[in-house]
């Protein structure tokens, strides 16, 4: 497929060649800002200990619902552009630097994603246990901000593993082909801007499965030990599967896709009004910006990827810690 980039993911996001530096992004040197009057004292190590409660179910549910909204809006935004395969082909768009020297060996999409994540890495984004870059950590700069004292909430025996390679494959094979018309429309910059924001939201939502799995582990430690000793993979999957909850989520996602994507529908949908919304919201796919059923089907696959994260975590997490 023209949309697919050659695996593995690490090759997609090759760093710029070091022989030629990038031109300065500003026409003037940036000067440090003077401290404001009565500025706060520098942060201390103790001040960097802050509230972070991802294992609180209420906090986790709110975050997942917020990401649900972000993803639906992102899908709608990306659907307004064509697939634009040229942006995903290595050397499809020439990436030049100072003096016309080619600096990046890869696709325009890979260049945009790598450079975006470099900036975010400097801002300490990927030091958070719930954030994972698509770019290899080897190619990311160190944060310019001091480290935060994150409380230990997860027990990952092999460090920062995540499902980002599968997420990228899912995005290229399923999301773009489902949402977007074929062909190029020359809106390459707008397309990959939507891609990067949406991929990062998908990564966060799916990899949150580790936190969900840790909560389930703490509540079902004895059962999980027994299932692992019996090598009962299906039993572990049944333990983390809640069909009724998944059904409600998919119904809510479809209703939100109707509301957010249809200019004739102005409504706020939440759990309290869902029953009324199901009977009153006019579903007119011809008027909407996107097919709500397609969004719901994609979200079902997103939940399946989340379940894969949970399974991996529960199968690898040490039982006695």
């Amino acid at each position: 497929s023209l949309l697919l980039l050659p695996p593995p993911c690490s090759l997609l996001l090759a760093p710029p060649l070091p022989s030629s530096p990038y031109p300065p992004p500003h026409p003037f040197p940036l000067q440090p800002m003077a401290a404001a009057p009565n500025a706060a004292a520098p942060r201390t190590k103790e001040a960097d200990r802050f509230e972070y409660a991802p294992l609180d179910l209420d906090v986790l549910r709110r975050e997942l619902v917020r990401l649900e909204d972000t993803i639906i809006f992102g899908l709608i935004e990306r659907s307004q552009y064509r697939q634009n395969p040229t942006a995903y082909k290595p050397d499809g768009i020439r990436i030049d630097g100072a003096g016309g020297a080619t600096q990046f060996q890869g696709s325009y999409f890979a260049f945009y994603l790598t450079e975006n994540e470099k900036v975010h890495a400097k801002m300490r984004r990927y030091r958070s246990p719930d954030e994972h870059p698509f770019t290899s950590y080897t190619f990311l700069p160190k944060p310019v901000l001091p480290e935060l004292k994150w409380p230990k909430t997860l027990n990952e025996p092999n460090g920062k593993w995540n499902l980002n390679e599968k997420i990228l494959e899912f995005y290229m094979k399923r999301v773009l082909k489902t949402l977007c018309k074929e062909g190029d429309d020359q809106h390459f910059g707008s397309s990959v801007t939507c891609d990067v924001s949406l991929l990062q939201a998908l990564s966060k939502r799916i990899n949150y499965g580790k936190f969900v799995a840790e909560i389930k582990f703490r509540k079902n430690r004895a059962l999980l030990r027994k299932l692992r000793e019996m090598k009962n993979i299906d039993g572990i999957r049944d333990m983390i599967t809640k069909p009724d909850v998944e059904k409600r989520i998919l119904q809510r996602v479809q209703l939100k896709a109707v509301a957010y994507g249809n200019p004739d529908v102005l409504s706020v949908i939440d759990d309290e009004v869902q029953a009324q919304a199901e009977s009153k919201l006019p579903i007119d796919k011809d008027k909407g910006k996107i097919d709500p059923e397609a969004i719901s089907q994609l979200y079902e696959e997103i939940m399946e990827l989340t379940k894969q994260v949970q399974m991996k975590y529960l199968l690898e997490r040490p039982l006695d810690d």
Side-chain angles (χ1 to χ4, degrees):
S1 169
L2 289 177
L3 286 177
L4 295 180
L5 298 173
C9 188
S10 59
L11 294 180
L12 296 180
L13 307 180
L17 299 177
S19 57
S20 302
Y22 289 112
H26 301 281
F28 52 88
L30 296 177
Q31 299 295 333
M33 295 178 64
N38 302 319
R43 294 175 64 89
T44 64
K45 289 185 178 181
E46 191 62 32
D48 284 332
R49 298 178 184 272
F50 59 98
E51 291 296 324
Y52 179 73
L55 297 184
D56 182 304
L57 273 176
D58 290 335
V59 172
L60 190 56
R61 287 193 190 102
R62 289 196 298 270
E63 181 66 11
L64 289 174
V65 171
R66 186 190 68 78
L67 285 168
E68 183 180 292
D69 294 340
T70 300
I71 290 168
I72 294 171
F73 276 117
L75 292 171
I76 293 171
E77 283 296 299
R78 182 59 182 89
S79 70
Q80 67 183 307
Y81 306 109
R82 291 186 177 270
Q83 293 178 11
N84 287 324
T86 301
Y88 308 94
K89 293 190 297 184
D91 301 323
I93 302 174
R94 183 178 174 86
I95 308 296
D96 287 341
T102 300
Q103 296 190 14
F104 190 86
Q105 304 301 313
S107 70
Y108 178 64
F109 161 76
F111 175 80
Y112 192 112
L113 180 59
T114 301
E115 294 302 308
N116 178 280
E117 292 191 329
K118 283 181 179 180
V119 174
H120 288 198
K122 289 182 179 181
M123 298 301 109
R124 199 171 53 194
R125 177 174 185 173
Y126 303 115
R127 299 299 194 187
S128 168
D130 58 355
E131 295 279 4
H132 301 82
F134 288 85
T135 307
S136 170
Y137 284 98
T138 305
F139 302 141
L140 294 179
K142 294 181 179 180
V144 298
L145 300 173
E147 295 286 349
L148 293 174
K149 302 297 181 181
W150 295 99
K152 184 173 176 58
T153 54
L154 300 176
N155 193 328
E156 299 180 82
N158 58 344
K160 285 184 174 293
W161 62 265
N162 60 77
L163 218 64
N164 275 1
E165 285 200 24
K166 282 192 174 182
I167 294 170
L168 183 59
E169 181 181 10
F170 161 71
Y171 187 82
M172 295 296 176
K173 286 185 175 180
R174 290 285 296 121
V175 175
L176 292 181
K177 289 187 175 181
T178 299
L179 295 180
C180 306
K181 295 178 181 179
E182 294 182 354
D184 283 331
D185 58 16
Q186 304 302 310
H187 291 292
F188 303 129
S190 297
S191 297
V192 299
T193 298
C194 292
D195 291 333
V196 170
S197 296
L198 185 49
L199 276 167
Q200 289 169 340
L202 287 169
S203 173
K204 189 168 185 176
R205 199 276 180 216
I206 291 168
N207 286 305
Y208 253 128
K210 291 186 288 186
F211 295 96
V212 177
E214 178 65 20
I215 293 173
K216 293 178 179 179
F217 172 84
R218 295 184 184 189
K219 289 185 175 181
N220 303 280
R221 188 185 297 258
L223 174 59
L224 183 63
R225 179 186 294 275
K226 181 179 179 180
L227 292 172
R228 279 176 52 169
E229 289 174 351
M230 296 170 59
K231 298 183 179 179
N232 188 345
I233 305 301
D234 290 337
I236 296 176
R237 187 175 179 84
D238 290 341
M239 186 187 81
I240 66 174
T241 302
K242 306 293 182 185
D244 292 342
V245 174
E246 293 176 6
K247 182 179 178 181
R248 288 198 301 271
I249 291 173
L250 293 176
Q251 288 174 340
R252 187 175 68 229
V253 165
Q254 186 168 349
L255 290 167
K256 286 180 178 179
V258 174
Y260 301 161
N262 192 324
D264 293 336
V265 178
L266 298 175
S267 177
V268 177
I269 304 171
D270 55 25
D271 291 337
E272 287 73 25
V273 302
Q274 181 168 329
Q276 294 179 342
E278 287 176 346
S279 61
K280 293 182 179 180
L281 281 178
I283 300 179
D284 187 343
K285 296 178 185 177
D286 293 333
K287 290 185 178 181
K289 299 177 182 177
I290 198 167
D291 182 355
E293 291 182 6
I295 296 289
S296 180
Q297 291 170 4
L298 288 173
Y299 213 86
E300 187 173 11
E301 295 180 55
I302 291 168
M303 291 196 298
E304 174 59 31
L305 288 169
T306 306
K307 203 174 296 184
Q308 290 181 31
V309 172
Q310 294 184 50
M311 288 292 294
K312 182 174 178 65
Y313 185 87
L314 292 174
L315 288 169
E316 295 185 3
R317 188 201 191 283
L319 293 170
D320 299 321
D321 189 0

